[in-house]
Amino acid sequence: MHIWPGAAYPLGATWDGWGTNFALFSEAAEAVELCMFDDAGAETRVALTEVDGFVWHGYLPSISPGQRYGYRVHGPHSPRHGARCAPSKLLLDPYGKAIDGDVIWDQALFDYQWADPRRPNTTDSARFMPKNVVINPFFDWSNDRPPHIPYHDTVIYEAHVRGLTLRHPDVPLLQRGTYAGIAHPAVIEHLKRIGVTAVELLPVHQFVPEQALGTRGLTNYWGYNTIGFLAPHNRYCSAGQRGEQVGEFKTMVRALHTAGIEVILDVVYNHTAEGDGRGPTLSFRGIDNHAYYRLDDANPWRYIDYTGCGNSLNVRHPHSLQLIMDSLRYWVLEMHVDGFRFDLASALARGMHDVDRLSTFFDLVQQDPVVSQVKLIAEPWDVGEGGYQVGNFPPLWTEWNGKYRDTVRDFWRGQPATLPEFASRLTGSSDLYETSGRRPVASINFVTCHDGFTLADLVSYNDKHNEANGEENRDGTDDNRSWNCGVEGPATDDPEISELRARQQRNFLVTLFLSQGIPMLSAGDEIGRTQAGNNNAYCQDNEISWLDWSRAASERDLLAFTQRLARLRRRHPVFRRRRFFKGAFTGAGDGTADLTWLTPGGEEMTEEDWRASYAKSVAVFLNGSAISEPDPRGDPVTDKKFLLLFNAGAEPITFTIPDTNLGTDWEIVVDTLSPRGEPMEAIGFLPKTKVEVASRAIVVLRSRV
């Protein structure tokens, strides 16, 4: 097969309408072969002889979209010195934009012999490997435009492509569990109904389930085991795997954008699916082990692991950093996504050892004209020493606020001495973000997410129940900060417990939607999704994890309650402030502060009140007339005045409505004692009127004046 020299850039396989350019980086290689496969699996090898800057490249004028390919890299193989080139192993292209097939587990995938790891394994792995696919990059985006939802108007819905739609009765059978399923009007209508402005999808980069899970009849359902950073996962496509997954993903994005919904991807750049030194050779390890992985300088056979997954991507190497940045730009420019949530982001910030907020990766993101303009969300921790970095990321970034989750859970399960921190979390966590020049939107607020209990399980279980994972219930966190309301598990004949659980779910939702910052709702929490107490369902591709849409009927009150909260947040900018509260007079025309904390007796909270360990009830006054930030056109923003009455205690509390200088003619707009949040009775209040708040409940008041 005749090959032209081609070009060293762009990396990957690039079809230009006439032929395809192939380019692969490897500083370790002594020779590189491009391997092409026909439909019968027959292999044709072509040597890439052109090398520029350690990029091996060539152009084949006869190769068009749909062609399957991979690489073989010849070079040193000395695992104890960190060299892992093995030409008998077919390797996936790190820049491959589509992948056909799955890994079929066999000893041939490993570069050592299982019986004697010191001896190399030269068995050809090609028939057990998936193949890259040359894609057609052209797509009719029509008039697609990014919604560009401001951070303070954003409501995030964290979802799994497969789990969200697999059991949806209105989605056609062949589209369930796919990108096309998410694009279905019935799914989009539901998202719009509950006020979602951004869908955050669990990993859609091509991933590989671990071999050990397969032997237990399980799989890597969540997908945090990437092997292709530019390829949409092939199993989420309804149309095929020979490049169709790219077009179907783009169609999904276009449909969501048309509905005004952004697409955020959960991305895993901290490690790959090749695992530690005992893992398979699928791509990066066989291409250039030193460049792509963090190896122990003293013992290069050993992989440094900040992720708990066997390896860590080498963000100190320029070509690894280039791969990450090229991948991010590709998903923005070519796939039109609107942002990223970085899994274990602290691992990307590690220079030599410590987490460094000024690391090279963050410098590159800050300076990049494309990536710096989309939503950037950090999971601000990893498993290494010093990895918990909530509040310490650079100003451009927002963060999953794990302290918000823990504090809100503690408050509503009645833990003592939580009131001061609860107040901080409710008002945007200024203690974490204000000193670094960030604003309330730096905090991604969540009570539940994919990792842990669902909202229904949070109020039904004290302990995890992960027996189905096959690890004797040892996996998953024991720090759930949950409360079963008196009985473990879902079944209870006690109507008081059932009502309390329902009320607790409403309490969490009110707290989430009315907190300053960005609320993130875990998919299905609005209809009472349960995982039967499993708090680590990463390996459960079954009814444990899939969203049961039949609950939308049985939990219609909870769904209506969520809709009510979404409308309340959307209509009132006092819950979506762009700047932190001052807690003092701000020049408002009514002469009152923008924020006032009150005791149940209607008096301003004192230092002694805050320090009282038994205090579980508080009121907060939000002054809509004292919003300091202007609207997009520079005009003042004004809103109603609100009183939020929180009672996390076991007994009802009577709150005194404060003096008229804070507001008059109050009305109840939300009462969590009611299944739909509607006021138990319509009342216009006078000064000093008493309002009884049930045990473990919230009442939200709005001034009509």
Side-chain angles (χ1 to χ4, degrees), residues 157-167 176-179 181-182 187 199-204 207 219-224 233 235-236 252 264 266 450 521-524 529 531 537-542 545-547 549:
Y157 190 77
E158 190 201 27
H160 188 283
V161 172
R162 182 168 165 82
L164 178 63
T165 65
L166 197 63
R167 303 176 72 184
R176 295 180 187 178
T178 68
Y179 306 121
I182 290 184
V187 175
V199 174
E200 183 179 303
L201 299 177
L202 267 68
V204 300
F207 62 86
T219 189
N220 189 321
Y221 171 70
W222 286 349
Y224 291 94
H233 191 63
R235 291 293 173 183
Y236 297 159
M252 175 195 71
I264 298 172
D266 194 335
H450 69 277
L521 187 66
S522 185
R529 185 174 78 88
Q531 293 180 167
Y538 76 102
C539 56
Q540 300 294 336
D541 188 5
N542 50 46
S545 294
W546 302 337
L547 202 157
W549 285 94

Side-chain angles (χ1 to χ4, degrees), residues 90-103 105 129-132 203-209 220 223-234 268-269 271-275 280-287 292-293 311 313 323:
L90 183 73
L91 305 173
L92 291 171
D93 182 357
Y95 279 77
K97 298 178 179 66
I99 293 175
D100 176 40
D102 303 302
V103 168
W105 289 105
M129 281 289 294
K131 313 298 188 293
N132 288 113
V204 300
H205 289 172
Q206 188 71 37
F207 62 86
V208 176
N220 189 321
Y224 291 94
N225 213 36
T226 305
I227 199 61
F229 292 113
L230 284 82
H233 191 63
N234 53 22
V268 190
Y269 293 111
H271 75 282
T272 80
E274 290 185 304
T281 298
L282 307 175
S283 179
F284 309 93
R285 174 174 287 132
I287 293 171
Y292 284 116
Y293 292 118
N311 64 59
L313 209 64
L323 171 62

Side-chain angles (χ1 to χ4, degrees), residues 339-574:
F340 305 96
R341 178 265 189 189
F342 292 80
D343 177 65
L344 301 182
S346 292
L348 300 173
R350 290 186 180 270
M352 296 303 293
H353 173 71
D354 293 334
V355 176
D356 180 7
R357 63 178 298 202
L358 301 178
S359 71
T360 304
F361 171 69
F362 293 117
D363 286 345
L364 290 174
V365 170
Q366 182 79 30
Q367 298 167 20
D368 191 275
V370 174
V371 180
S372 65
Q373 299 307 301
V374 300
K375 288 183 169 65
L376 301 172
I377 304 170
E379 181 186 36
W381 51 79
D382 63 19
V383 301
E385 182 181 352
Y388 193 78
Q389 293 290 318
V390 173
N392 292 330
F393 276 70
L396 189 66
W397 291 70
T398 62
E399 300 175 12
W400 268 28
N401 190 344
K403 292 186 177 182
Y404 178 96
R405 172 201 59 204
D406 294 345
T407 301
V408 170
R409 289 186 178 192
D410 281 346
F411 179 75
W412 284 114
R413 69 187 176 122
Q415 289 293 102
T418 58
L419 199 56
E421 189 168 1
F422 176 77
S424 178
R425 303 297 157 246
L426 186 74
T427 53
S429 296
S430 60
D431 59 321
L432 299 177
Y433 303 114
E434 189 171 24
T435 57
S436 60
R438 289 191 280 175
R439 294 186 171 179
V441 293
S443 179
I444 305 295
N445 300 327
F446 66 104
V447 176
T448 62
C449 64
H450 69 277
D451 189 2
F453 282 147
T454 66
L455 186 60
D457 289 352
L458 185 66
V459 300
S460 303
Y461 295 90
N462 283 351
D463 304 304
K464 65 187 180 184
H465 296 268
N466 299 352
E467 291 80 7
N469 295 355
E471 301 177 40
E472 299 180 350
N473 207 35
R474 295 192 303 267
D475 62 301
T477 183
D478 293 314
D479 185 24
N480 295 296
R481 305 186 185 217
S482 59
W483 180 44
N484 64 16
C485 299
V487 175
E488 185 75 359
T492 175
D493 296 327
D494 189 332
E496 291 187 6
I497 291 179
S498 296
E499 197 282 325
L500 175 58
R501 288 176 174 177
R503 188 162 74 252
Q504 285 285 74
Q505 292 180 70
R506 296 192 290 270
N507 290 335
F508 282 121
L509 289 170
V510 170
T511 306
L512 178 66
F513 273 87
L514 302 191
S515 292
Q516 303 299 322
I518 302 172
M520 185 183 79
L521 187 66
S522 185
D525 277 352
E526 73 278 14
I527 57 173
R529 185 174 78 88
T530 177
Q531 293 180 167
N534 192 319
N535 75 350
N536 189 35
Y538 76 102
C539 56
Q540 300 294 336
D541 188 5
N542 50 46
E543 288 83 356
I544 291 176
S545 294
W546 302 337
L547 202 157
D548 180 4
W549 285 94
S550 69
R551 298 184 70 94
S554 60
E555 296 286 348
R556 61 172 60 90
D557 285 342
L558 183 60
L559 180 57
F561 183 81
T562 307
Q563 292 175 246
R564 184 183 187 88
L565 290 176
R567 286 195 303 270
L568 185 64
R569 180 181 179 86
R570 184 169 59 249
R571 292 172 179 174
H572 292 286
V574 75

Side-chain angles (χ1 to χ4, degrees), residues 104-117:
I104 302 172
W105 289 105
D106 187 88
Q107 186 173 177
L109 298 170
F110 298 78
D111 65 353
Y112 62 91
Q113 296 185 22
W114 289 351
D116 185 358

